[in-house]
């Protein structure tokens, strides 16, 4: 999933540490670093998700406008529309019958399309945005699982270390008492 490394659930901490060839502090540092990496990726994915969630309604609105223009085509009836000039400032326009629309593609690029081409392009963009959002949501769920597994592993390694230290203390106390 987007190159996100999977987290390994640790059943036996001793075996885990031996396989990695790490001591407890090194293993905890490695796991904490991995957890931080997961958090950074999660922040990026959440930003992408917000962008897509804002983009989809805009595309749907554009599709509705193109559909309205197509419906009015051939009726001779003019369309009255209110549009935003800048934030909070609106103007009213009378739109005569037209066969084309201009679509803002971004990066200071606007192109003129026929109504049919515009509708097809917008529908394709909407389908792509929805598909991307689905993939993004799946990636976020996968990432949250990996984060949880890593947090559990950190807790297991830490608790194992505490248990080992207590066992050593008890053994040392027993030997000292004898």
């Amino acid at each position: 999933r987007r190159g996100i490394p999977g987290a390994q659930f640790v059943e036996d901490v001793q075996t885990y540490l031996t396989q990695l060839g790490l001591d407890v502090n090194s293993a905890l540092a490695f796991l904490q670093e991995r957890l931080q990496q997961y958090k950074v990726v999660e922040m990026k994915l959440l930003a992408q998700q917000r962008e897509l969630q804002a983009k989809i309604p805009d595309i749907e609105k554009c599709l509705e406008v193109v559909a309205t223009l197509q419906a009015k085509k051939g009726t001779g009836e003019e369309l009255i529309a209110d549009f935003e000039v800048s934030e909070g400032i609106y103007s009213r326009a009378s739109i005569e019958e037209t066969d084309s629309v201009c679509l803002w593609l971004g990066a200071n690029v606007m192109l003129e399309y026929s109504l049919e081409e515009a509708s097809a392009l917008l529908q394709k963009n909407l389908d792509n945005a929805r598909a991307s959002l689905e993939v993004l949501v799946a990636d976020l769920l996968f990432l949250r699982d990996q984060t949880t597994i890593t947090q559990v592993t950190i807790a297991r390694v830490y608790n194992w270390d505490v248990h080992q230290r207590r066992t050593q203390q008890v053994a040392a106390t027993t030997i000292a008492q004898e």
Side-chain angles (χ1 to χ4, degrees):
R1 305 218 66 108
R2 289 188 196 239
I4 301 169
Q8 175 186 354
F9 180 76
V10 175
E11 289 278 339
D12 180 13
V13 175
Q14 179 68 47
T15 305
Y16 173 74
L17 293 174
T18 304
Q19 286 175 346
L20 289 180
L22 298 174
D23 64 353
V24 171
N25 291 332
S26 299
L28 286 172
F30 168 76
L31 291 168
Q32 288 290 353
E33 183 180 331
R34 177 62 57 89
L35 189 59
Q36 285 306 112
Q37 291 169 346
Y38 286 149
K39 294 292 182 185
V40 168
V41 171
E42 181 180 29
M43 296 304 287
K44 289 178 182 177
L45 292 179
L46 286 171
Q48 290 175 3
Q49 182 183 30
R50 280 190 300 275
E51 287 173 18
L52 280 173
Q53 287 173 332
K55 187 182 201 180
I56 289 173
D58 289 342
I59 296 171
E60 289 172 337
K61 207 179 297 181
C62 288
L63 264 170
E64 287 176 24
V65 170
V66 170
T68 302
L69 288 172
Q70 285 176 319
K72 296 284 183 179
K73 188 175 176 181
T75 63
E77 186 180 331
E78 71 177 4
L79 179 66
I80 305 294
D82 294 327
F83 64 96
E84 191 171 15
V85 176
S86 67
E87 194 170 327
I89 300 174
Y90 293 85
S91 182
R92 180 161 284 168
S94 172
I95 302 171
E96 298 173 4
E97 190 172 309
T98 183
D99 293 330
S100 64
V101 292
C102 292
L103 295 180
W104 184 262
L105 301 179
N108 294 326
V109 175
M110 182 181 282
L111 291 177
E112 185 174 0
Y113 290 93
S114 70
L115 293 176
E116 294 76 23
E117 289 173 329
S119 182
L121 177 66
L122 289 168
Q123 188 61 53
K124 179 182 162 205
N125 288 351
L126 181 61
D127 293 342
N128 288 341
R130 286 180 177 157
S132 294
L133 186 60
E134 282 182 34
V135 169
L136 206 55
V137 168
D139 286 347
L140 279 166
L141 290 174
F142 175 77
L143 187 61
R144 287 188 182 128
D145 287 345
Q146 303 321 297
T147 300
T148 301
I149 291 169
T150 303
Q151 289 170 334
V152 168
T153 300
I154 289 170
R156 290 177 64 97
V157 170
Y158 180 80
N159 290 339
W160 178 85
D161 184 45
V162 169
H163 178 71
Q164 293 298 347
R165 288 178 194 218
R166 284 187 185 154
T167 304
Q168 289 172 356
Q169 276 182 339
V170 168
T173 305
T174 305
I175 291 172
Q177 289 176 352
E178 290 177 1

